[in-house]
Structures are given as structure tokens and as C-alpha cells.
Amino acid sequence: ESVHHYQNLSFLLSIFFDLHFCSPLQSLLTLFSKNFPKKMTDSDHQHSPAVDNYDTTPQQETSNSAASPPSAPIYLDNAASAPLHPKIVPHLQSYLLSSSNDTSSSLGNPSSLHFYGKQQNGILRSQKEILKRHTKAYQIAWVSGGSEANAMALLGHVGINSKYHGLDGVTQSQTNMENESNNKQKVDNDSDAPLAEVSRGESLSSPQPQTLSDSPFSLSPKKRIIVSPMEHDSISKPLRYTYHLTHGFQIDTMKVDPKTGQIDWDHFRSLLRPETVLVCQMWVSNLFGTIFDVEKMARIIKERAPYAALHIDGVQALGKLHIDMSVFQRLGVRTTVTVSGHKVHALKGIGALLFSSYETSQSFRLPLIVGGGQEGNKRAGTENVMGALSFGLAVEEAQLNIQPNQAHYKALHDHLTKRLNNSLVIVHLDLPNTYAVVPLILPGAPAEVYFNHLMEHGICTSTGSACQAKGNALPKAYLERGIEHNVCRRVLRVSFSSLTTVQEVDRLCDVLLELTDKFAPSGKVNRNYIRIVPKERKGKKSIVEPFSDAATGPSNTQSSLTETSHSSDELQTPTYTSVVVRYGELGLKGKNIKLFTYQLAKNIRAALKPIARILVHEQNRRIYVDLRNDEDSHKIPQIIDRLQDVFGISSISPVVKVKRNLSTIEHAVTWMAKQELEERSSSKRITFGVKVSVQKTAERTKEDLSSQQYQAHLGSMVNNLAPQRWKVHLKRPDVQFGVEIRTDQVYVYSKLIPGLGGLPAGVHGKALCLLSGGFDSSVAAWMMMKRGCSVHYISFWSHPYVGEKLVHKLKRLMKTLARYNAGRPKMFLIHFTKIQEAIRDQAPEPYRNILYRRAMNYVANYVTNKISAHCLTTGESLGQVASQTVKNITCIQVSARKPVFRPLIGMDKTEIIDLAKRIGTCDISAEDAPDCCTLFQPAKPITHGALEVCDQAEKGIENYLDLIHEAYKTAQILEIDEDTDLESIKVM
């Protein structure tokens, strides 16, 4: 069994990485370097093009150019993580290849005192020297990334053992600083010193308070921490934890001027007190690219709170600005700066905390991670040597090319602005700015909708910080800048790197222009700039207001919903051009609901791709399917019919999209009411109800009606069309008229068509179903799809005893089930003849059926590993046949290494057949086609098998494991979906 595990591991590595098992790192890196996209040549990087060199003429493309994704992805989410820089790949290759060719070169822990340890520590020290040279930092501590560095800094500055929180106030702090300065030359700098001179195992404890007055928490008033409202969660959340743990700090939040995006300096000065111990400020905003004047902040701190420390989140600053930590040392302000590797084209999982001075370093006496005492007792744990190597190389590359890169960012920003200035609204950039981050306010739909469609085209952007992407909360920085709540949902962040090209920006613009034409066609939204205007309203600092462009004339505000100025000539006959999809059980999910809705939208696109060109987007817990071409409206019935077979959908409605005004809504509801009257018998009264929902973030005016007023108005209108035929019934009406009012358009419907329910197929991974050809196994596969599994199949064929009629039957069953499945399912056709013959000739006859099924599970174990399936599925129903008794199922169960799900275990045969009719597999399963289960049947099969007998019988079969392995190796793999021509698939 161990040998088989080893063979499986080697087999998987050869499939997924195309490696030789003996040298995976070397082959993996070689494969990586070959496929790494080369964005810029050396000359391109040294001389970035200026603004005037860009061709600002839109590319000539066909109307459907944006519908097809490019051959290579376009990555415009560099503020979250920048790709590995091509120039540092050869250095990493050299490190890895030397490690694989010469084992001794990879030996050694950086903390060890022997030669190999010093060799690894030398790499760490050399990369620290690079960072020190470019940042003027006094000391550097390696960490895993920005979040850890921020938490480490906060704990170090305000920790209970920090020297500068003494009870004697300023006098005590000043004394400590003087004493430390006198002993400065006696203490080693940090772990950069030779290993022989540094004891990495020294105690982490610091001197404890000798008297009550030495306690940092007995001082009155409380110690204060000042924090910027624009900070990343890795600052704000640890501060909350610090407060709850110590109850000894008061956290003050400084204000941001919504007009400029900069710190309100007057307010900041008013917050600084002698008891202020720490100020936290971001150097460059990760959402706006704003550059904050941290040097000015340090000068103010020195004036008003000279013993307060300053912590700067410099993650977005490194590589874009010149960082000079010596400024803070000269000012005498203890300062730490956080930097992270993957923001500057280094590997992920490496970062650093920079210290401005000796006093800053020595104030850290409470490490975040304790243990071996690495990094000068500031951060325990074995250092990431390869990550540090990539970090140093990336910083060297970035800092040497800051000026060309800054010009490059500015050119890309200006080019993007020029391309989109008539269609999208760009948030007014604060100055000064890095121009590497461009936030866009998008019309017609939430940013998440644009984000999903851009992903379909291979374009990666974001709707905010990557660390907050899995939550539903709005980025608080948007709200602090005065952007209203409903507008925050429409902000998309585009971020550049030094590798971003103008061609990639052009591609982004082309796709965005097409999407805005779809989501916000001309006349439906006001396509003017949106700027931030300071205006007090209900305690808010500012709101987002539209203003006009000189070329477009005065701004027109949103039309009121009660507006009825349209003449009858302007109202055209409504047509169904969209479908609204509702999901039931998915709505109960929590923070992971996006995983389910994303899979559902993906399945919808795949199901409807052969029918029509569509646009699928999610909004307000609905999924909308819009036709890209309104001339395809005749395909709506076909689309609805297909969606009824997609799992995860509770109901479907064809909808008419109209403008946001009362006259068009009345016209659409009237048209639908007349259609319903024509379709139904005139001898019976029709009950109806009207349900109106208004999106919470939809802009409203004083003249707008409430949802209740709309329901009363539209209900009265429908009833007056034919009072003798309509009857109001709100609980269970025959016809439910629905009106869903969104920001810039309204969806109207009257039909509610039920769906299959369940969960989207594929959201719970893969299942392998043992497909026999009968009623049970196909229904079991269908039920696993309903609960979110993507189902693949394994079937057993005992040729020549069983003919090709069975194979044709299996192919037809698989094609029928593909209508409900996710992806392109596979069927593994196993040649089972030799195994059955061996069991027939060498095993006890009553146990044949049990042994057949155990052998099937043994082969299925190999297949589950090959396709990464999480479980097996069978059509077993308790007591239906001899092999499906409790004891026999127990004997069979132990042969499977993955869980075995039996969704039919408690169903009657009639229930199974009725469900097979609903699925469409009943007639196929009823065809007479013998399978391997009917072959070599015992005269008297046992119904209460013993596990010991089964194990003993298998040991007595000659070369049994070889037969199992041979059956797996000779399997034929068939890929069949609902469009496959079955005659083209041949079996051997």
C-alpha cells in the first residue's frame, strides 16, 4: 500500500507540473520562467514613455470584440499584489537550481553558528543592507508581510513593557532615552551582526515595574493613541484588540478634509497631548493613491507631543516614493514603517518593519511572536531566506527607477482618463498622488457587476482592498472621503505597476465602454463627472453630486418616478429582453454567499451559451440575464426552458426593462395585464396582486411614491381594465405583477416560473458516481448535482460477455444528465472482465456480488485521486437487492477511501422511477441492456455477509491487486456534454 501511495504521488506530480519526480523544484521553476509573461524589456523599463508618446486613438475593433477574452490575462490589481518582476527570476532560479544541484548550498538555518547557517544568514544581511541603503533605516526586522509588521509595531509601541510608557510621565521617558543613548555603543545593532557575536537565545523578558508608579496603566489621564480614519484594517483592528485587552488607552481619530483628501492639521494638533503615546498614519492610500505628508506630521508631533511614537503604513509607498527614514531620526521622533514584498514585485509572504533610530528599536520589548529570539528578539521564527532575497532585489529595481516609473504611472492615468472621460466618472484625484491607483465610479450597476464581467474578459481589477474582498462591508475610506453609501457600491479600483502597458489600459477601456453601453445606455443615466463637494447633511461631511461639463451643457438630474410627461407616441410596445433569476436557499448563506452566486452565474452562462449572447450580472440578491441583442427577444421562452434545469434557481420571471418614470411602468403593467387576460379563460375570474420593491440605494426625490403607494396605484389601474374579470387577492394570486425599481431602470414581470432549487452544481466540488445503466444510479447522480456537486462517472464493462449496447446506453444517460451538470463531465469506462472472472473462479460463490462491488470501489479509489473527487456516489437503496442489506453495505463500504453517499437509501422503487421520468432518464434506463452486475450471478447470494470472509476471499485471489491496477490503467475516458455527437465517440 505504501508503494501505491508513492506511485500515486509521482503520477500526480508528473500530471500537474510536468516534472521529473526526482527534481521537482528545478523543473517547476524552469516551467515557471518559460511561461512568465514578459511585460517590459530592460530599455522599456529604464525609459518609460511620456504622455505625448501614447496613441490615444481608440483601437478599431468589431462590436463584439470585448466579448472574447484575450489570450493572456490583463492584471490591473497591482495595489493588492504585484506580479513577480522578470528581472529577479534569474536570481531566484540560480538560488533554487544551486540548491537542487548542490545539496550543501541549501543547508543551514540562518540562526545556526556553523558555516552553512552563516551562509544563509549572509543572504539575509545582504538584503537588509539593500533596504537600508534605499530607505535610510537604522534597523530592519524581517516579517511575513504588512499585516504582521503593523501588528508588531502597534504591540511594540504600546505594549505593557514599552520603555516610553513609564508612570513618571515625560521626566521618566526623558531619563530612559538619555540612559539608552549613553549605552548605545554597548548594544549590538540587531541580528545583522556576525552570528558569533549575537546570542539568539537570550531572554525576551524586560525589567518589570518595581513600584506602582512604574506601571504604565496607573497614569491618569489615560494614554492616548491617534489614528487616521483612512487606515487599513491591519491597523484599526489590532488597535481595538489592544483597547479591549488593556483598557488603558483612549483611541482618537483624526479628521480628513473631504475636499483635498489630506489630514485636517488643525484638528490633528488639537488631538495631540502630553499623554499621547502613538500616532498611526498611512503614507500612501491604497484606495486613492493619495500621498500624505508624514514629515509634516512628525514635525507637529515633535512640537506638541515630543515623546509620542509615529507608525507609518508604507506598504503602498515603497517603490513609488523615495523613503528617507533619517528625516525622522533627525527630528527625534521614534518612527517605524511597514513595507511588504509582494507590493513591489517580490514574492508573497515576506515583509519588513523599518526602525528610524536606536531609541525606536530599543523601545520594542514585547514581541508579537516569541520563541528563538530571531531578528534581535523582535520576531521569533526561522527567516524566509528566499523571500528576503526576492525582496531585496525587487527594492533595488524599484528604487533605482522611481522617476521613470512615476512618469509611467502618470502617463497611464492620463491615457485612461482621456479614453473614459465621456462615459465613466473618475473620482477626483487628491494631490499629491502616485497616479498608480485610479478609482472609478461606474454608472448603471454596482462595481461588483462590472468586476465579474471584466473577469470574463480576462481583466483583473478590484472593488476595494483585497483584504476586505471576502466581506460585504464598504471600504470605510470611501465613506470618510464623503462618498455617499449608494455611490460607494459603484467604485471600481484600477491599479498599475511598472509592468502595465498602454495596450492593457486600452483593452480595459474597450470593455468598460461596452459594458457601460449595456448597463447605462444613453438617456438612462447622467454621464457627467462626479466630484466630491463638501456639504453638510445630517452629520455627513460631504456628498457626491453631479455637475455639468462645458461641452454637454447643464446637468439633468434623475427623472422622478412620478413623472408622467411622456406622450403615448413615445411609449413603444414592451418586449421581454431580460430574465430575473431568484435563488432560495442560497439567500441563507453568510459571508460565503458570493461563492455560491458566482458558481450559479457561471452555470447560467454555460447553459445559455448555445442559445443567445447574454450578459449575466447580480444585484440585490437577484441574478439578471440580459440579452446583448434585443432582436433575440423571441429566444426568451427557450432561455426560460433551459434555466428550469439549472440547479440553485428557485424561480424565474421574464421581465420588461423600462425607464424610471411612472408612465412607462404603467404602460408595461397594462400590457402584461392584457396578455394575461388573453391567455386565460374568460369564464373564470382571475385573482391578482401587485408587489413593488424599491432598491434601498436608489436615489429618490420628494415627489417619489413609496412602494405601498405604487402598489395601490398600479393595483387600481389593473382592476379598472376589466373589473368583471380581475379580483384582488394578495396571499396566493393567480397572477403576481412585480415591479422592481433600481437606480436607473425598472424591471416589470407578471409570471413566476418555478426552478429546481437546490445548490449550484459544482460549488461543493466533484463526486464520482458508479453508473450502471439502471434507474437508480442516474437518479442518485442527479440528486448529488442538486446539492452542489459536479458529477463524473465510472462504469464497468465486461466485454465480450456484455455487448456495446450497454456502452451506448451509458453514453445517452450521461448526455441527458449533462443538462443538469456543471462543466464537462467525464466517464471512466473500466474493462471489468478479468476481475469478474477471477472472483468467479477463486472466491466463494455466495460472496460474488459483494466482492464485485468491493472491486469496483478499489478501482474507483484510483479515479477519485486522478480527478480530485471528494466522494463516491451510488444508487443503493436499503434492502432493494441482496447486496444492499445493512451488513452487505458495511462489507462494501470499507473498500472505499472516500465517503460514499447514497441519496436513494430511503426511497421506494416507484419514487425513484417517478423522479427518473422528471429527469428524462426513465426511458433510457428501461431499455434492455445487460450489465456486469447481472453477469456470473450466484445461485444463492448471501444477505448477511461477514467482513472477515470478504477479506480472506480477496487474499486468496491470485494477483488481485495487479488486476485492479490494470483495470484502472486500461480505462477509457469519455467526455460527453449535451451537445456531443454520440456517434463520434467510439470505444475499444
Side-chain angles (χ1 to χ4, degrees):
E1 185 171 339
S2 299
V3 172
H4 285 307
H5 279 303
Y6 184 87
Q7 291 174 341
N8 287 341
L9 178 60
S10 177
F11 178 67
L12 289 173
L13 284 172
S14 64
I15 288 179
F16 291 113
F17 300 116
D18 194 22
L19 311 174
H20 299 293
F21 185 64
C22 60
S23 182
L25 283 177
Q26 178 178 354
S27 301
L28 176 59
L29 192 55
T30 303
L31 181 65
F32 168 75
S33 62
K34 288 180 180 178
N35 294 323
F36 191 90
K38 186 172 178 61
K39 300 287 186 180
M40 259 187 166
T41 63
D42 294 349
S43 59
D44 290 335
H45 189 71
Q46 293 292 340
H47 306 285
S48 297
V51 182
D52 296 336
N53 293 333
Y54 281 106
D55 178 13
T56 56
T57 305
Q59 296 179 350
Q60 299 297 323
E61 296 185 1
T62 58
S63 59
N64 62 347
S65 61
S68 302
S71 57
I74 295 175
Y75 187 78
L76 297 174
D77 191 20
N78 295 279
S81 184
L84 195 65
H85 201 289
K87 287 188 177 181
I88 71 174
V89 172
H91 299 276
L92 300 181
Q93 273 185 313
S94 176
Y95 177 82
L96 284 178
L97 294 181
S98 63
S99 299
S100 60
N101 296 330
D102 181 10
T103 308
S104 64
S105 64
S106 63
L107 291 177
N109 187 307
S111 300
S112 300
L113 298 179
H114 50 63
F115 169 78
Y116 299 111
K118 290 184 178 182
Q119 189 178 47
Q120 299 297 315
N121 184 261
I123 298 176
L124 296 177
R125 293 177 61 192
S126 64
Q127 303 313 307
K128 279 190 178 181
E129 289 302 320
I130 293 176
L131 264 69
K132 286 183 178 181
R133 185 170 65 252
H134 289 292
T135 63
K136 304 296 191 297
Y138 175 81
Q139 184 182 6
I140 294 174
W142 295 120
V143 294
S144 63
S147 294
E148 183 189 341
N150 283 334
M152 174 180 168
L154 295 176
L155 187 61
H157 281 304
V158 304
I160 59 174
N161 290 322
S162 179
K163 290 188 176 184
Y164 298 98
H165 296 173
L167 273 182
D168 296 330
V170 175
T171 304
Q172 177 68 30
S173 300
Q174 187 173 7
T175 303
N176 287 339
M177 292 181 70
E178 291 173 354
N179 292 338
E180 293 294 348
S181 297
N182 294 333
N183 297 326
K184 179 177 180 180
Q185 301 301 327
K186 299 180 181 179
V187 182
D188 192 88
N189 185 2
D190 66 350
S191 58
D192 294 343
L195 286 175
E197 301 175 12
V198 178
S199 173
R200 291 187 177 245
E202 63 189 38
S203 174
L204 296 179
S205 62
S206 59
Q208 298 298 319
Q210 300 300 318
T211 64
L212 183 61
S213 63
D214 291 330
S215 171
F217 301 120
S218 61
L219 182 65
S220 180
K222 287 184 177 180
K223 299 291 187 180
R224 290 175 175 267
I225 300 173
I226 302 176
V227 62
S228 165
M230 310 291 285
E231 292 304 301
H232 191 273
D233 277 353
S234 60
I235 291 287
S236 57
K237 288 186 177 180
L239 282 178
R240 289 200 296 269
Y241 296 150
T242 302
Y243 173 80
H244 289 303
L245 287 173
T246 65
H247 301 284
F249 295 95
Q250 177 173 324
I251 299 175
D252 299 321
T253 303
M254 58 184 99
K255 291 182 180 180
V256 174
D257 185 349
K259 205 171 189 178
T260 64
Q262 291 291 339
I263 301 299
D264 185 334
W265 296 113
D266 292 335
H267 182 258
F268 175 64
R269 285 186 176 91
S270 68
L271 293 178
L272 285 170
R273 311 270 176 80
E275 58 269 19
T276 300
V277 296
L278 177 63
V279 177
C280 298
Q281 174 60 49
M282 181 180 286
W283 201 325
V284 173
S285 170
N286 61 324
L287 298 177
F288 295 97
T290 311
I291 301 173
F292 296 101
D293 193 346
V294 292
E295 183 177 345
K296 180 178 180 179
M297 178 173 285
R299 294 182 187 278
I300 298 174
I301 292 173
K302 184 62 177 177
E303 293 173 3
R304 302 185 65 88
Y307 300 105
L310 172 62
H311 175 65
I312 302 171
D313 184 347
V315 165
Q316 297 293 335
L318 186 64
K320 301 179 181 69
L321 303 175
H322 288 287
I323 296 179
D324 188 355
M325 298 283 289
S326 64
V327 172
F328 306 107
Q329 184 178 16
R330 289 194 299 269
L331 290 174
V333 178
R334 293 178 293 112
T335 306
T336 52
V337 176
T338 293
V339 291
S340 184
H342 69 106
K343 309 292 187 181
V344 290
H345 302 286
L347 291 173
K348 300 174 181 65
I350 185 67
L353 185 63
L354 314 181
F355 298 85
S356 64
S357 63
Y358 172 82
E359 290 78 12
T360 309
S361 172
Q362 290 304 302
S363 67
F364 274 58
R365 294 300 179 89
L366 187 63
L368 181 65
I369 301 176
V370 297
Q374 289 89 342
E375 298 304 300
N377 280 334
K378 291 178 177 58
R379 198 267 191 185
T382 303
E383 294 91 340
N384 181 356
V385 179
M386 187 173 176
L389 175 62
S390 71
F391 197 3
L393 294 170
V395 169
E396 183 90 21
E397 174 67 22
Q399 294 296 122
L400 291 177
N401 294 281
I402 278 186
Q403 291 184 348
N405 289 343
Q406 288 174 340
H408 182 59
Y409 298 144
K410 181 68 164 58
L412 293 175
H413 165 264
D414 292 347
H415 185 64
L416 177 69
T417 304
K418 189 170 183 178
R419 284 291 312 274
L420 300 179
N421 62 356
N422 291 325
S423 299
L424 295 179
V425 286
I426 301 177
V427 174
H428 174 71
L429 287 178
D430 308 319
L431 296 176
N433 202 286
T434 63
Y435 296 100
V437 177
V438 183
L440 307 176
I441 297 181
L442 305 171
E448 186 177 356
V449 175
Y450 283 88
F451 170 82
N452 290 330
H453 286 284
L454 287 171
M455 282 202 303
E456 290 183 2
H457 292 275
I459 302 175
C460 300
T461 57
S462 67
T463 57
S465 169
C467 301
Q468 295 177 323
K470 295 183 179 180
N472 295 320
L474 292 172
K476 57 183 180 297
Y478 291 158
L479 301 173
E480 289 293 336
R481 284 301 320 279
I483 302 178
E484 285 190 333
H485 187 279
N486 63 321
V487 181
C488 289
R489 297 286 185 190
R490 296 195 279 120
V491 179
L492 185 78
R493 184 182 71 173
V494 177
S495 49
F496 308 132
S497 77
S498 61
L499 305 179
T500 306
T501 64
V502 68
Q503 291 79 15
E504 293 175 331
V505 174
D506 273 328
R507 176 62 182 169
L508 170 71
C509 294
D510 293 338
V511 177
L512 281 178
L513 291 173
E514 180 177 335
L515 292 176
T516 51
D517 286 339
K518 186 66 180 180
F519 294 133
S522 180
K524 290 193 175 181
V525 297
N526 180 23
R527 295 188 177 200
N528 296 321
Y529 286 109
I530 289 183
R531 64 180 176 184
I532 299 175
V533 182
K535 179 179 178 181
E536 297 296 330
R537 193 181 79 172
K538 294 182 181 179
K540 293 186 178 180
K541 297 173 186 171
S542 64
I543 60 174
V544 174
E545 292 184 345
F547 71 97
S548 62
D549 189 276
T552 59
S555 170
N556 296 321
T557 56
Q558 189 80 41
S559 298
S560 170
L561 279 175
T562 57
E563 186 179 308
T564 57
S565 59
H566 289 266
S567 65
S568 59
D569 295 336
E570 293 176 314
L571 299 176
Q572 300 177 354
T573 302
T575 55
Y576 291 113
T577 57
S578 299
V579 174
V580 59
V581 174
R582 304 172 191 86
Y583 44 82
E585 185 177 347
L586 299 191
L588 302 177
K589 303 298 179 183
K591 292 182 179 180
N592 64 340
I593 187 173
K594 290 184 179 180
L595 299 176
F596 293 85
T597 56
Y598 176 80
Q599 184 66 43
L600 178 56
K602 181 180 177 181
N603 294 349
I604 291 173
R605 293 186 191 99
L608 301 182
K609 185 176 181 180
I611 300 175
R613 294 181 67 244
I614 59 167
L615 201 63
V616 180
H617 59 97
E618 183 188 2
Q619 187 177 4
N620 288 84
R621 301 222 164 198
R622 298 277 195 274
I623 292 179
Y624 296 94
V625 180
D626 299 333
L627 291 172
R628 288 184 179 268
N629 188 354
D630 290 347
E631 295 178 358
D632 290 337
S633 58
H634 63 282
K635 296 182 180 180
I636 289 293
Q638 189 179 356
I639 289 174
I640 292 175
D641 180 67
R642 183 65 186 86
L643 289 178
Q644 285 184 278
D645 292 332
V646 176
F647 287 116
I649 298 176
S650 63
S651 65
I652 312 159
S653 295
V655 298
V656 173
K657 291 191 296 184
V658 298
K659 297 179 181 179
R660 272 194 67 186
N661 57 69
L662 184 58
S663 59
T664 55
I665 297 175
E666 289 176 341
H667 183 61
V669 173
T670 301
W671 177 77
M672 290 183 181
K674 292 179 179 179
Q675 294 285 325
E676 294 290 343
L677 290 174
E678 292 176 0
E679 294 173 3
R680 299 173 185 271
S681 172
S682 59
S683 59
K684 182 181 177 182
R685 297 195 70 178
I686 307 169
T687 60
F688 80 97
V690 179
K691 182 178 180 181
V692 177
S693 62
V694 181
Q695 182 180 347
K696 291 183 179 179
T697 58
E699 299 175 3
R700 298 185 60 188
T701 65
K702 294 181 179 179
E703 292 78 15
D704 288 341
L705 299 179
S706 66
S707 58
Q708 291 82 2
Q709 290 172 326
Y710 261 108
Q711 289 170 178
H713 174 75
L714 295 176
S716 175
M717 183 193 68
V718 171
N719 191 63
N720 292 337
L721 290 176
Q724 69 282 4
R725 296 196 57 191
W726 288 114
K727 180 181 179 181
V728 177
H729 194 285
L730 300 180
K731 290 187 177 180
R732 293 184 179 179
D734 298 326
V735 179
Q736 178 75 65
F737 294 100
V739 179
E740 296 183 0
I741 300 173
R742 301 294 177 244
T743 302
D744 57 348
Q745 59 189 4
V746 179
Y747 295 90
V748 183
Y749 60 89
S750 63
K751 299 183 184 299
L752 202 66
I753 302 166
L756 286 177
L759 301 176
V763 75
H764 281 157
K766 300 175 184 177
L768 182 66
C769 178
L770 279 68
L771 188 65
S772 66
F775 295 100
D776 303 340
S777 56
S778 56
V779 174
W782 184 87
M783 294 185 71
M784 290 300 291
M785 296 174 200
K786 185 174 183 179
R787 297 312 302 166
C789 285
S790 172
V791 179
H792 297 263
Y793 308 93
I794 181 171
S795 296
F796 299 87
W797 184 35
S798 296
H799 185 74
Y801 298 103
V802 176
E804 292 190 7
K805 187 176 181 181
L806 171 65
V807 178
H808 183 65
K809 181 180 180 180
L810 293 172
K811 291 191 294 185
R812 290 165 60 203
L813 283 173
M814 189 174 172
K815 182 174 182 177
T816 303
L817 291 171
R819 185 175 179 85
Y820 308 93
N821 212 344
R824 188 174 176 85
K826 297 178 181 179
M827 180 172 70
F828 292 78
L829 189 61
I830 306 298
H831 296 277
F832 202 54
T833 308
K834 292 183 180 179
I835 295 176
Q836 281 200 278
E837 289 176 339
I839 293 175
R840 177 198 62 186
D841 298 338
Q842 303 178 50
E845 180 181 351
Y847 279 83
R848 284 181 188 173
N849 284 341
I850 299 176
L851 296 178
Y852 290 159
R853 282 157 178 78
R854 283 167 62 105
M856 292 176 184
N857 283 349
Y858 292 142
V859 180
N861 290 335
Y862 284 102
V863 177
T864 56
N865 290 334
K866 180 178 178 63
I867 65 173
S868 300
H870 302 101
C871 62
L872 294 175
T873 299
T874 70
E876 292 169 314
S877 177
L878 190 62
Q880 190 176 109
V881 294
S883 63
Q884 296 175 11
T885 62
V886 172
K887 288 193 174 182
N888 286 359
I889 289 177
T890 302
C891 293
I892 298 169
Q893 171 74 38
V894 296
S895 60
R897 293 182 180 174
K898 296 291 177 74
V900 181
F901 294 135
R902 302 173 177 87
L904 312 183
I905 195 70
M907 296 180 65
D908 294 335
K909 194 70 175 182
T910 54
E911 294 176 305
I912 297 172
I913 293 175
D914 290 341
L915 195 50
K917 293 177 181 178
R918 162 66 183 87
I919 299 170
T921 59
C922 181
D923 293 339
I924 303 174
S925 299
E927 295 177 1
D928 185 19
D931 56 27
C932 64
C933 295
T934 62
L935 193 64
F936 308 144
Q937 286 293 305
K940 294 183 178 180
I942 193 167
T943 57
H944 296 80
L947 186 59
E948 297 79 6
V949 178
C950 295
D951 293 339
Q952 193 64 33
E954 288 174 345
K955 291 179 181 179
I957 300 175
E958 186 177 357
N959 299 324
Y960 188 56
L961 292 180
D962 293 337
L963 293 175
I964 297 292
H965 194 259
E966 181 185 357
Y968 163 69
K969 286 292 186 181
T970 58
Q972 186 172 353
I973 303 176
L974 311 178
E975 292 190 17
I976 299 175
D977 57 27
E978 55 182 322
D979 299 320
T980 302
D981 179 13
L982 297 182
E983 298 301 326
S984 64
I985 299 181
K986 306 297 182 182
V987 295
M988 297 181 292

